[in-house]
Amino acid sequence: MAQVEFWYEFASSYSYPATMRVEALAADRGVGLVWRPFLLGPLFAGQGWRDSPFNLFPVKGRYMWRDLERICGALGLPLRRPESFPQNSLLAARVALALEDALRPAFSRAVYRAEFGQGQPIDAPATLRPLLAEIGVAPDPLLARAVEDANKAALKAQTARAVALGLPGAPCLTTADGEVFWGNDRLEQGLDWARVHDPVAE
Amino acid sequence: MAQVEFWYEFASSYSYPATMRVEALAADRGVGLVWRPFLLGPLFAGQGWRDSPFNLFPVKGRYMWRDLERICGALGLPLRRPESFPQNSLLAARVALALEDALRPAFSRAVYRAEFGQGQPIDAPATLRPLLAEIGVAPDPLLARAVEDANKAALKAQTARAVALGLPGAPCLTTADGEVFWGNDRLEQGLDWARVHDPVAE
């Protein structure tokens, strides 16, 4: 079974529809997914940006919000622009990484729904606790584990790998043969590529 | 018949596949196209860029060239990276605008084929002359008309309109109801939108 890595950042607007779509698209194609939450901050810093490019370049920002409205409208996804953008996604990313693999997709979707569907602040433990409870995880022990050194280091390492892979933003799919597909609008193409170039199937 | 405006810049890499694809996609949907060559320079200057963002931000640039290879590969379009990027597209844009409307699409495709398919310099009259001859236009009178004040002013006005419309880059489709769709990967979506929201059909 071909496998791709799905790279997403909780502060990233286009990661919202991608996260809601990717699992069904992968299942349709018989491609396995490895969920990789990471932080865009170090990538952006490497390009000289200390804020989201959607804030630094307002023409792009205005376009992005309207584009996202159309995308969410077509998918039937609620969209409520968070009061501040981008949100501080550090805690949510640490929590996502601290979870066991099988729970990461459902938690990640719940974070995006809270953030971009309901406009909630995702840096607040009060937002994340009920999302953890919903997937059957006791919130406080997990929140404690999320900020342990080992988990912090794991998120740093995962982000360093995203930089090393040359990801230009989020979301991205990366394939076993080294391809990068950037954007919600490249999910289908990346999954199709992985299926066709699957080293096991060949 | 619904109509969209197709905005393209001869220096823009993603405008190459878009220009080769857009006419058939529009015809399939019964949507009319108005071809709008323009210059990205003033848009980029407004965002503080004095070069292509693909040069200013090398991670994005590396991604773009590989992405373009995959796109052209899938379409069967030749791709030969020009020695300098972005090319100076001023003369080609002026020539495209000086042509009568019916000849603009064929000339524009020919410029992109020369530039990104064969790696030729499009700022050279020697490159543009045979492309004009191919579409049955006497090259020298047209090249002379292209640099007359009226035509220069027309290109400036067209570019100013692109800025006013909020285009974030090239290529773009714009619709009668004020939507902007940016990118080669948004052509289908923009044309579908125009068909569904066609003010005449409603």
Side-chain angles (χ1 to χ4, degrees):
Chain A
M1 184 184 189
Q3 210 165 50
V4 300
E5 294 175 84
F6 172 59
W7 298 84
Y8 57 104
E9 146 72 91
F10 285 112
S12 149
S13 51
Y14 285 115
S15 293
Y16 168 42
T19 298
M20 307 311 270
R21 297 196 313 124
V22 70
E23 200 154 73
L25 295 173
D28 283 350
R29 289 162 176 79
V31 174
L33 277 181
V34 183
W35 288 61
R36 300 279 190 220
F38 76 111
L39 299 177
L40 277 174
L43 267 77
F44 286 173
Q47 307 195 44
W49 302 333
R50 300 183 64 86
D51 191 357
S52 163
F54 295 126
N55 291 338
L56 293 171
F57 311 117
V59 176
K60 287 187 68 169
R62 278 192 294 276
Y63 176 79
M64 179 277 285
W65 287 111
R66 176 60 187 146
D67 191 38
L68 192 65
E69 273 180 0
R70 290 188 305 231
I71 291 167
C72 291
L75 295 170
L77 289 176
L79 177 63
R80 183 166 162 187
R81 190 166 161 175
E83 280 182 32
S84 77
F85 175 85
Q87 291 208 33
N88 183 335
S89 56
L90 181 61
L91 179 62
R94 285 176 173 167
V95 169
L97 200 61
L99 285 167
E100 55 181 287
D101 293 349
L103 295 174
R104 197 167 294 121
F107 173 75
S108 299
R109 284 189 291 265
V111 171
Y112 284 108
R113 267 194 299 266
E115 179 183 21
F116 291 106
Q118 301 163 11
Q120 291 186 48
I122 59 165
D123 60 344
T127 301
L128 302 183
R129 271 194 200 97
L131 306 182
L132 288 166
E134 269 169 36
I135 57 166
V137 173
D140 286 323
L142 202 282
L143 283 165
R145 185 138 47 92
V147 296
E148 282 173 9
D149 285 347
N151 191 60
K152 289 180 181 178
L155 181 59
K156 271 195 190 160
Q158 186 136 295
T159 296
R161 201 169 143 247
V163 173
L165 285 168
L167 305 197
C172 282
L173 291 179
T174 56
T175 65
D177 60 348
E179 298 290 334
V180 177
F181 295 87
W182 177 28
N184 170 60
D185 48 18
R186 290 293 200 285
L187 296 181
E188 290 86 346
Q189 191 193 1
L191 292 164
D192 287 341
W193 182 283
R195 190 181 43 182
V196 172
H197 296 82
D198 176 12
V200 178
E202 271 167 6
Chain B
M1 185 185 191
Q3 210 166 49
V4 300
E5 295 175 84
F6 172 59
W7 297 84
Y8 57 104
E9 146 71 90
F10 285 112
S12 149
S13 51
Y14 285 115
S15 292
Y16 168 41
T19 298
M20 307 311 269
R21 297 195 315 123
V22 71
E23 201 154 72
L25 295 174
D28 283 349
R29 290 162 175 79
V31 174
L33 277 181
V34 183
W35 289 61
R36 301 278 190 221
F38 77 110
L39 299 177
L40 277 175
L43 266 77
F44 285 173
Q47 307 196 44
W49 302 333
R50 301 183 65 86
D51 191 357
S52 163
F54 295 126
N55 292 337
L56 293 172
F57 312 116
V59 176
K60 287 187 68 168
R62 277 192 294 276
Y63 176 80
M64 180 275 286
W65 287 111
R66 177 59 187 146
D67 192 37
L68 193 65
E69 273 179 1
R70 290 187 305 230
I71 290 167
C72 290
L75 295 170
L77 289 176
L79 177 64
R80 183 167 161 186
R81 191 166 160 175
E83 280 182 32
S84 77
F85 175 85
Q87 292 209 32
N88 183 336
S89 56
L90 181 61
L91 179 61
R94 284 176 173 167
V95 170
L97 200 61
L99 285 167
E100 54 181 286
D101 292 350
L103 296 173
R104 198 167 294 123
F107 173 76
S108 299
R109 284 189 291 266
V111 171
Y112 284 108
R113 268 194 299 266
E115 180 183 20
F116 290 106
Q118 300 162 13
Q120 291 186 48
I122 60 163
D123 60 343
T127 301
L128 301 183
R129 271 193 200 97
L131 306 182
L132 288 166
E134 269 168 38
I135 58 165
V137 173
D140 286 324
L142 202 282
L143 283 165
R145 186 137 47 91
V147 296
E148 283 173 7
D149 285 347
N151 191 60
K152 289 181 180 178
L155 181 59
K156 271 193 190 164
Q158 187 136 296
T159 297
R161 202 170 143 248
V163 173
L165 285 167
L167 305 197
C172 282
L173 292 178
T174 57
T175 65
D177 60 347
E179 297 290 334
V180 177
F181 295 86
W182 176 27
N184 170 60
D185 49 19
R186 290 294 200 287
L187 296 181
E188 289 86 346
Q189 190 192 2
L191 292 164
D192 287 340
W193 182 283
R195 191 181 44 181
V196 172
H197 296 83
D198 176 12
V200 179
E202 272 167 7

